[in-house]
Amino acid sequence: MWDSSMFLSTLTPKFYVALTGTSSLISGLILIFEWWYFRKYGTSFIEQVSITHISPWISGESRDDNGNNNLQSAPPQIPECKVWRNPLNLFRGAEYQRFYWATKKEPLTFYDMNLSAQDHQTFFTCEADAGNSEYETMQIAWRERAPCDRIKHAHEAIEANPECATAYILLAEEEATTITDAEKLFKQALKTAEVNYKRSQALQHQGTLMDAQHRRDTNVLIYIKRRLAMCARKLGKLKEAVKMFRDLTKEVPPIMNVLNIHENLIEVLLEMQAYADVQAVLAKYDDISLPKSATICYTAALLKARVVADKFSPDVASKRGLNSAELQAVEAIHRAVEFNPHVPKYLLEMKPLILPPEHVLKRGDSEALAYSFFHLAHWKAVDGALNLLHCTWEGTFRMLPYPLERGHLFYPYPTCTECADKELLPTFHELSVYPKKELPFFIIFTAGLCSFTALLALLTHQYPELMGVFAKSVVNWMSLPVYYIYEKIESILPPNLLQQLIRI
């Protein structure tokens, strides 16, 4: 038999220096290439090749001419990230400002407030305002950055015209320090808004300016009614809030596409624990042709979880499997988590909540905050719902190993959410990013291999004889199992067979 000790004794220290140096160089080149590929494509080259080519070859998966099951195939068109107005946005004076007084931290970013200013100018101003001092003053007020300047201009507009409803809106939003005060101002605004609406409705067909004024008065009236309904919700007048929100959902002006009032209605009905009514609202808005939101997806999951959550046990389910109701609940949770994967950590209180922004990015951290801020209590109200969520939500990520390239029920996860959420959320909030670009295993492995071989090369260069002895000891130690197996085989099989195999 070949004697390894005789072969090792012939090797000089220079051989060990050259061997370790070459190994270190090769592993270093692999590490550099892996790091470059990861920086450019967001995945490990070795992992990509393994999944794309080796794994299908071993498992026998086939690929069609359209590139299905191929990670290199072109992803479907991803819709552009659009910022939406938060349907449950808080009151600046009665809520955001009080938070600032208590913490000395700004709850809203300039970008978020600037978006609100643009919304106000779009819906509360029109071409017919030219020449009317009160409305021109309000145009200036919406553009002011300092709250005190906006409030000052609103008072000037009311002095010029006591029927300036938009001025009352600004005062209710920013000057009122309690919800009760805000409600009083909105009720005052409602009276003037209804008068202005009826007046412009009668004149809307007398030219483009009058038509624009009527559209503005319609927007003002709907906005005031919505905020009054939100005041009623916050003051505990739930039945009154439900009636107002139901009436508003029957309206059809363009502003309704922005306000998403059905999400306000869902939240109030959940507070009342009127789950049958919530299901009826979902049946209308959770349609394949309508845009989704965290409220829609997670409320659907909550209703399905409510059926099984109180009796759900992960140990029992793992033994007997999931029944049909539990399977539906788990699938609904997976659907919700795929739509917005940031929500579960807030619902499970693994991340702290902050005040939600005035605008949200669907599927982003901002939407997750806005949803969880109001709906955490509703999940806690359903016995076992959070436990079911805790046991099942992470399974979604195993279904979506490459969320940026493909989705299961929705479009691939947008890549623009991190940048938009940074603009929407304050700096003191730790931004939730999905998917996190963690270093792949093969980059960590090659980095460790490179460091280890470089250390061996350095030690071999400094102490060649000692490292030679060490290498011989390691090789002899590793060869012991081989010798042991060889001796066992030799004792069992006839010697001529082994000689014939050695010749072959």
Side-chain angles (χ1 to χ4, degrees), residues 169-335:
I169 289 176
L170 193 149
L171 295 178
E173 292 283 355
E174 303 198 30
E175 188 178 45
T177 56
T178 65
I179 300 298
T180 304
D181 293 341
E183 186 182 42
K184 290 178 182 177
L185 285 168
F186 274 122
K187 285 181 177 178
Q188 194 169 357
L190 180 62
K191 293 178 182 178
T192 59
E194 287 176 338
V195 172
N196 294 336
Y197 173 78
K198 291 177 182 177
R199 184 187 302 132
S200 62
Q201 186 180 31
L203 303 174
Q204 63 176 313
H205 300 296
Q206 296 184 7
T208 55
L209 288 180
M210 297 308 299
D211 183 56
Q213 182 176 336
H214 178 63
R215 286 199 304 272
R216 190 271 312 279
D217 291 341
T218 303
N219 293 340
V220 170
L221 183 62
I222 290 175
Y223 183 90
I224 292 171
K225 287 182 177 179
R226 172 177 173 266
R227 292 307 257 176
L228 275 172
M230 293 180 72
C231 287
R233 159 68 181 96
K234 292 174 185 293
L235 294 173
K237 297 178 284 188
L238 301 182
K239 291 184 179 179
E240 180 182 339
V242 167
K243 182 181 183 306
M244 296 174 74
F245 283 133
R246 285 193 187 279
D247 292 340
L248 283 171
T249 55
K250 299 173 185 176
E251 301 285 347
V252 289
I255 192 176
M256 300 302 295
N257 297 327
V258 178
L259 298 181
N260 289 321
I261 293 176
H262 61 276
E263 297 194 12
N264 298 91
L265 178 59
I266 288 173
E267 196 277 327
V268 180
L269 290 173
L270 285 173
E271 178 66 18
M272 297 175 65
Q273 297 188 1
Y275 298 113
D277 292 335
V278 175
Q279 185 63 60
V281 176
L282 281 180
K284 182 178 179 182
Y285 291 97
D286 192 4
D287 186 82
I288 192 170
S289 61
L290 298 176
K292 299 294 180 290
S293 66
T295 300
I296 294 291
C297 294
Y298 278 90
T299 301
L302 176 61
L303 293 183
K304 285 188 168 59
R306 175 176 167 268
V307 179
V308 299
D310 57 336
K311 299 177 182 177
F312 179 79
S313 170
D315 296 331
V316 174
S318 62
K319 291 178 182 177
R320 63 165 169 79
L322 298 173
N323 59 38
S324 63
E326 290 172 342
L327 186 61
Q328 288 180 10
V330 171
E331 288 176 348
I333 289 173
H334 286 327
R335 170 183 182 250

Side-chain angles (χ1 to χ4, degrees), residues 376-493:
L376 175 58
H378 306 322
W379 279 80
K380 288 184 175 180
V382 176
D383 187 28
L386 289 175
N387 177 52
L388 180 60
L389 177 68
H390 174 72
C391 296
T392 57
W393 72 280
E394 289 180 324
T396 310
F397 304 136
R398 290 191 289 273
M399 297 166 50
L400 300 169
Y402 296 94
L404 297 179
E405 285 128 9
R406 63 176 63 181
H408 181 58
L409 298 172
F410 300 100
Y411 284 105
Y413 191 78
T415 56
C416 58
T417 56
E418 181 179 357
C419 296
D421 282 331
K422 279 183 179 177
E423 298 290 337
L424 288 171
L425 297 171
T427 54
F428 59 81
H429 170 68
E430 182 183 351
L431 189 66
S432 177
V433 179
Y434 174 80
K436 265 196 177 300
K437 285 195 173 183
E438 297 175 350
L439 289 178
F441 165 76
F442 286 105
I443 289 185
I444 299 173
F445 176 77
T446 51
L449 181 63
C450 178
S451 303
F452 179 69
T453 53
L455 179 62
L456 282 182
L458 179 63
L459 292 173
T460 306
H461 184 267
Q462 292 293 326
Y463 312 103
E465 295 181 358
L466 182 62
M467 291 302 293
V469 173
F470 174 74
K472 291 175 185 177
S473 302
V474 170
V475 172
N476 287 328
W477 178 75
M478 293 177 65
S479 64
L480 283 176
V482 179
Y483 283 137
Y484 178 77
I485 294 171
Y486 177 80
E487 289 174 356
K488 288 294 183 183
I489 294 174
E490 192 177 37
S491 64
I492 296 172
L493 298 177

